Amino acid sequence: MNFDLTPEQIAFRDQVRRFCQEQIAPYAEHADYTGEFPYEAWKKMGEFGLLGLHLPEEYGGQGADVLTSVMAGEAMGAGGADGGLLLAWGAHTYLCADTLYVHGNEEQRKKYVPKLASGEWIGAMGLTEPGAGSDAASIKTRAEKKGDKWILNGNKMFITNGPIADVLVVYAVTDKNAGHGGISAFIVEKDTPGFSTGKPLRKMGVRSSQTSELIFDNAEIPAENLLGTEGMGFIMTLQTLEWDRSALLAPFVGAAQVGLETCVKYALDRKQFGRPIADFQAVQHKLADMRIYLNTVRMLVYRVAWNKDQGRPLNHLEAAIAKLYGADEGMRISSEAVQLHGGYGYIHEYPVERGFRDAKLGQIGGGTSEIQHMIISRMLTAEAR
Ligand SMILES: Cc1cc2nc3c(=O)[nH]c(=O)nc-3n(C[C@H](O)[C@H](O)[C@H](O)COP(=O)(O)OP(=O)(O)OC[C@H]3O[C@@H](n4cnc5c(N)ncnc54)[C@H](O)[C@@H]3O)c2cc1C
């Protein structure tokens, strides 16, 4: 087993972190405070090549492997990019562009992937509905074939990039009697007749990402915008889980690193009872816990990525452990980071406050912690039966 990263991976990670510290982090506080999407930062990320990193060069990407993509996500988090921007990055790159690349025919790939990889277009993915979240297979949005069009009716909820997306991958039921096998994926462009979005939802954290409802009222989707084959939609959503459990978690790893660095510095600078608070054992234990979290979550996430790089199918048990541990322990650690800063930790200007609010999404988005527990225990009992 070799835990060494290649010199190229280390150099790239450091380059991305520096780029974000200098070019992207300056937008973070304002974006979080106002809840506005930082388009300028997005453009810079596109120019740097971060919006299609893993996509092949012939479609405008950089051809990076999965682990390198994960390390870029980590470096962006460590470089101080705000959580909302990084959620937008994850949904755009992995839930939308990757699905279009993997399942699109040549015409669809050529039409959409280069524009997404450059950042000229913004992508989104719509699965969740007002009445269907954890039980994603129970979605109700219907797609009916009429002549050379699919007619979509229904609503999607909590869709990242929804109000600003140029193109969306949307899942709908094409055969209501076929269960999982009756769900199909469609490519929806923003100007589609009958398609609109709700107002951006105001959120606790990841505030600069734009989240909204999607409304399909007899929306007319050209027949050629069916993605992949009819009935394959649910399988496509499962394939995106590999990215969900690696690249989309990676910014949390980076945020944990910068959080730890911030806390160490604060603990050494801040004096109470005539001594740096770093001298008190209770504070030292918090720092040690943060470091343990960082090492562990990084290994779990890298392992999911490495597995995908080997061309192996997703190991659902390991992926669920990475998601659950990253989210639940991440929430605890980010709370400790606020605690270590005392009253200052409760104030907006201190990045640990933002980290605490952003961390909460980890326990909800892309499969809640309760659902990860359920997956892990189901697999354990299935193995033992
Ligand atoms: C900021 C944000 C961005 C998002 N972005 C997207 C996006 O881009 N695209 C998209 O499709 N979706 C997106 N989502 C939706 C997200 O994936 C769902 O919110 C999530 O899957 C949970 O679904 P739900 O909100 O309907 O909660 P529910 O499924 O209703 O869950 C409510 C509670 O019940 C618990 N629960 C449910 N079932 C069980 C069970 N069997 N056992 C134990 N407990 C259970 C849950 O864990 C939770 O605590 C986003 C959500 C947020 C908040």
Side-chain angles (χ1 to χ4, degrees):
M1 199 178 278
N2 183 358
F3 286 93
D4 287 334
L5 299 170
T6 66
E8 291 78 24
Q9 284 171 326
I10 294 170
F12 182 65
R13 182 190 61 193
D14 295 347
Q15 196 190 353
V16 173
R17 185 171 183 181
R18 260 196 319 278
F19 161 73
C20 282
Q21 281 167 335
E22 289 162 13
Q23 304 282 333
I24 306 297
Y27 296 95
E29 194 184 333
H30 179 80
D32 174 63
Y33 190 69
T34 59
E36 289 167 10
F37 186 70
Y39 284 100
E40 272 181 57
W42 183 260
K43 192 164 167 263
K44 289 181 181 179
M45 283 166 72
E47 285 162 1
F48 193 89
L50 291 168
L51 299 177
L53 206 50
H54 73 293
L55 295 165
E57 287 174 24
E58 60 174 307
Y59 297 103
Q62 310 292 314
D65 57 27
V66 185
L67 187 55
T68 303
S69 308
V70 161
M71 289 171 62
E74 181 185 350
M76 285 192 266
D82 81 279
L85 183 62
L86 293 180
L87 176 64
W89 166 77
H92 163 94
T93 311
Y94 300 107
L95 306 184
C96 178
D98 185 72
T99 309
L100 280 167
Y101 167 67
V102 173
H103 300 283
N105 57 37
E106 200 46 29
E107 207 175 311
Q108 292 167 337
R109 284 179 168 181
K110 283 199 177 118
K111 182 168 180 194
Y112 298 109
V113 178
K115 281 192 174 128
L116 291 167
S118 68
E120 181 189 341
W121 276 23
I122 296 179
M125 183 282 288
L127 173 66
T128 306
E129 298 186 352
S134 300
D135 184 10
S138 69
I139 59 169
K140 295 277 182 290
T141 297
R142 285 279 290 152
E144 285 172 289
K145 188 88 182 281
K146 290 212 173 129
D148 60 352
K149 292 195 170 61
W150 287 94
I151 307 298
L152 261 65
N153 279 293
N155 294 52
K156 297 287 170 185
M157 194 55 174
F158 305 130
I159 307 307
T160 301
N161 295 339
I164 57 172
D166 298 281
V167 62
L168 307 93
V169 172
V170 173
Y171 296 92
V173 177
T174 43
D175 179 353
K176 60 178 189 280
N177 300 317
H180 292 157
I183 296 175
S184 305
F186 295 89
I187 305 170
V188 177
E189 293 190 23
K190 69 173 176 189
D191 295 328
T192 300
F195 167 61
S196 59
T197 63
K199 279 197 191 132
L201 300 164
R202 292 174 62 218
K203 303 190 296 297
M204 173 196 291
V206 294
R207 285 173 40 76
S208 73
S209 64
Q210 305 298 300
T211 317
S212 75
E213 193 173 358
L214 310 179
I215 303 150
F216 298 92
D217 181 9
N218 286 317
E220 296 177 9
I221 315 294
E224 66 266 22
N225 281 21
L226 174 73
L227 184 60
T229 48
E230 208 179 317
M232 279 288 291
F234 200 72
I235 293 181
M236 293 182 193
T237 68
L238 293 181
Q239 285 169 351
T240 62
L241 280 182
E242 291 172 309
W243 290 112
D244 243 325
R245 308 299 184 248
S246 56
L248 270 87
L249 284 181
F252 288 98
V253 181
Q257 179 173 341
V258 77
L260 173 60
E261 288 164 5
T262 307
C263 287
V264 169
K265 184 169 181 320
Y266 189 81
L268 291 170
D269 288 349
R270 175 73 176 170
K271 290 194 176 65
Q272 288 295 291
F273 300 97
R275 308 160 69 176
I277 60 169
D279 284 357
F280 304 124
Q281 196 177 44
V283 172
Q284 292 164 359
H285 285 191
K286 290 190 201 314
L287 296 176
D289 281 355
M290 287 177 199
R291 181 59 202 237
I292 293 166
Y293 171 71
L294 179 60
N295 277 28
T296 317
V297 72
R298 181 181 278 141
M299 279 300 137
L300 290 169
V301 170
Y302 279 15
R303 185 160 174 181
V304 175
W306 178 84
N307 198 54
K308 186 166 167 58
D309 272 332
Q310 306 312 304
R312 296 181 190 166
L314 178 69
N315 180 325
H316 286 277
L317 181 70
E318 281 174 13
I321 291 172
K323 172 74 166 64
L324 177 63
Y325 180 83
D328 279 11
E329 193 60 8
M331 189 71 243
R332 187 179 77 80
I333 290 297
S334 62
S335 170
E336 291 288 45
V338 170
Q339 191 68 17
L340 186 145
H341 280 71
Y344 296 101
Y346 204 70
I347 306 298
H348 276 324
E349 281 151 53
Y350 284 73
V352 289
E353 183 268 350
R354 171 154 47 90
F356 174 71
R357 287 184 285 108
D358 288 353
K360 185 63 196 168
L361 180 64
Q363 295 180 301
I364 299 170
T368 65
S369 291
E370 289 77 12
I371 295 298
Q372 306 314 311
H373 270 114
M374 191 177 83
I375 294 169
I376 294 165
S377 58
R378 267 193 194 161
M379 297 200 72
L380 291 176
T381 48
E383 275 169 18
R385 273 183 219 277

